[in-house]
Amino acid sequence: MPAWLVRFFAVGVWVGLGAITLVLTWIVAVFGPAPPILAGYLFPLGLLLLIGLLVVSTRSLRRRRAAAVLGYLEQAVNLNLPLPTMLSAAANGESGTTRKRLFRLAARLTAGRPVQQALEMSVPEASPRTVALIGSAEASGQLPAALARIVQENLEPDQPSQQRGAFYRAYALAMILSVASIVGMISIFVMPKYHRLLDDFELPIPAPTQAIMSLPDWAPAALIGLIALIIMGFVGVRLWEVFLPGWPAARYGRSLTDRLLWALTPTRVVERDRGLGDVFGVMADALEAHRPLDQALYEAEQLPVNLMLRRRIARWSGALSDGAAIADAARAARLPALAVGLLASAQATATVPQTLRYLSSYYALRFNRAREVLAAMIAPLTILFFAALVAAVALALFLPLIKMIDALSLDMGALR
């Protein structure tokens, strides 16, 4: 089946099911959560979720396929063997799509294309960051070291982090279902009795109790709409990554995502540190190959890092072109103070390549640490959220009891 037809079918299914889900959400909001409506609603929503799970599985397969191709390429480069011959031999030991990717990569290398271009054309599973790093390393003559670093990243996933992430997602889902069910039963079966008791005592209903009592009026439609939007967004992003990675509209989506991630302090730290690690690494490779500093900065500008960071690198390059010293240009571009200070010392001692290499390792380590911290924050934040929710429900249950006890105490005192 042609690739364009597969992409058209995937996008069409997502748009169709998403439209049906949104229409049914509106019906639930207008007419209420009647069982026939909910039954009709669950089919497109479940189908969307199934498509999302299939796309996630496909994404994992694509990552493993790209890692396999990069592993063979790294072996060929390290052994100093002819790349087309080595890749063709590796393809004979593979099957399916991986075999096709290796043969296509070997054919394009035989035709004289650079490794970056051949990889981008033959292995669409390779990420833009991987392709850009390989291109910069190839231009600087540092391809073996760059491939070794990339292969290590791809072939040694952090299993404990993945297991913790799966546990946190399952925990959050279980808590959402449990708390939503309990709150729903309380609002349907318990709160009406509280309402009658308070009316009998002629007592006002506390605000937290009123909020719980009003949940059946608006919560089903809001919850269903929220679930629909989350599933549609999740499935849409995954379909986009798998089937439309080179679509021109991806630039606008990437720009919005970059701005949002940069605006939030925790994600900005992760985006900045990973980007600076790549930028300083590319510059170190170029300078160690005795290439000019302005050319090293130009190559760093081509990396697919966060848009806001890329603008700072462009300002750094522009200030350097205007004749500023490397540290002064970095300060004008609002790079971190640590990088500016080390670059100033390196310029005085003529150790700029070594300093850039250290900065690359330092920010790569900071990125790994920040990613671990963000992953570790999921559990306490989830617990705090649900603890606050349970506290609100408990407050809504106990406030009417306290009011009725106070009223009974006053009545008993009057009788005495």
Side-chain angles (χ1 to χ4, degrees):
M1 184 181 295
W4 67 269
L5 186 59
V6 174
R7 294 171 182 171
F8 179 79
F9 175 77
V11 175
V13 168
W14 178 77
V15 172
L17 291 175
I20 294 172
T21 304
L22 290 179
V23 169
L24 287 172
T25 303
W26 176 79
I27 294 174
V28 170
V30 173
F31 299 101
I37 298 176
L38 289 179
Y41 175 86
L42 291 176
F43 173 73
L45 193 62
L47 197 54
L48 262 179
L49 185 58
L50 179 61
I51 293 173
L53 294 176
L54 291 175
V55 171
V56 169
S57 301
T58 304
R59 188 185 181 199
S60 300
L61 290 173
R62 289 168 62 87
R63 285 180 174 176
R64 287 196 291 270
R65 190 180 300 143
V69 174
L70 291 170
Y72 286 125
L73 183 62
E74 190 257 346
Q75 291 177 18
V77 171
N78 281 341
L79 295 174
N80 201 23
L81 297 173
L83 296 184
T85 305
M86 174 65 180
L87 293 174
S88 298
N92 291 323
E94 293 288 344
S95 60
T97 307
T98 305
R99 176 188 178 93
K100 295 178 183 178
R101 297 287 188 261
L102 288 168
F103 274 130
R104 289 177 184 175
L105 181 58
R108 289 191 167 97
L109 290 173
T110 302
R113 295 187 182 275
V115 175
Q116 177 191 14
Q117 191 178 32
L119 188 67
E120 187 175 12
M121 297 173 63
S122 307
V123 189
E125 295 86 354
S127 66
R129 173 178 175 267
T130 297
V131 173
L133 289 175
I134 288 176
S136 299
E138 185 180 15
S140 302
Q142 303 287 340
L143 188 57
L147 278 172
R149 290 193 296 268
I150 293 170
V151 168
Q152 185 176 8
E153 289 180 6
N154 288 320
L155 294 183
E156 295 183 5
D158 191 354
Q159 295 294 338
S161 296
Q162 291 182 353
Q163 293 172 0
R164 284 196 299 270
F167 169 75
Y168 295 149
R169 288 191 293 270
Y171 174 76
L173 180 60
M175 289 297 296
I176 289 172
L177 294 176
S178 303
V179 173
S181 301
I182 293 171
V183 172
M185 288 189 291
I186 290 174
S187 62
I188 293 172
F189 298 108
V190 178
M191 288 304 171
K193 300 185 186 317
Y194 271 36
H195 193 284
R196 288 195 295 270
L197 287 172
L198 291 171
D199 286 343
D200 293 340
F201 281 93
E202 297 181 354
L203 295 174
I205 302 174
T209 309
Q210 288 182 354
I212 297 296
M213 287 180 176
S214 65
L215 284 179
D217 299 330
W218 60 268
L223 183 61
I224 288 174
L226 180 62
I227 293 173
L229 290 176
I230 291 174
I231 294 179
M232 285 181 60
F234 171 76
V235 174
V237 169
R238 295 298 176 257
L239 286 172
W240 197 336
E241 290 178 351
V242 173
F243 295 105
L244 299 169
W247 196 33
R251 293 194 299 269
Y252 303 104
R254 175 67 188 272
S255 174
L256 292 175
T257 304
D258 284 352
R259 293 174 188 273
L260 178 61
L261 293 175
W262 198 263
L264 303 173
T265 301
T267 53
R268 179 172 68 241
V269 172
V270 174
E271 290 281 298
R272 183 199 65 187
D273 290 348
R274 182 170 194 177
L276 287 176
D278 291 342
V279 166
F280 289 136
V282 167
M283 292 180 65
D285 288 341
L287 293 180
E288 287 170 358
H290 306 291
R291 305 181 72 183
L293 182 59
D294 57 347
Q295 192 172 359
L297 258 176
Y298 173 78
E299 290 183 3
E301 286 184 61
Q302 311 310 311
L303 294 175
V305 297
N306 188 282
L307 173 65
M308 309 305 292
L309 178 61
R310 193 158 59 244
R311 289 180 178 177
R312 295 191 181 188
I313 301 303
R315 288 199 294 268
W316 187 15
S317 178
L320 198 64
S321 300
D322 292 339
I326 183 172
D328 296 334
R331 186 180 295 106
R334 296 175 58 193
L335 291 187
L338 173 67
V340 173
L342 289 179
L343 288 173
S345 301
Q347 188 176 12
T349 57
T351 57
V352 175
Q354 295 87 337
T355 301
L356 289 172
R357 181 67 65 193
Y358 167 76
L359 287 172
S360 175
S361 302
Y362 171 76
Y363 281 107
L365 181 62
R366 277 179 57 99
F367 162 71
N368 291 328
R369 191 179 305 157
R371 183 175 56 180
E372 289 293 324
V373 170
L374 284 179
M377 287 172 58
I378 295 176
L381 290 177
T382 304
I383 293 172
L384 286 175
F385 172 77
F386 287 112
L389 190 58
V390 171
V393 173
L395 188 65
L397 289 173
F398 282 105
L399 280 178
L401 293 176
I402 294 172
K403 283 184 173 292
M404 286 185 287
I405 291 171
D406 291 340
L408 286 173
S409 300
L410 291 175
D411 292 341
M412 293 298 293
L415 290 175
R416 290 175 186 174

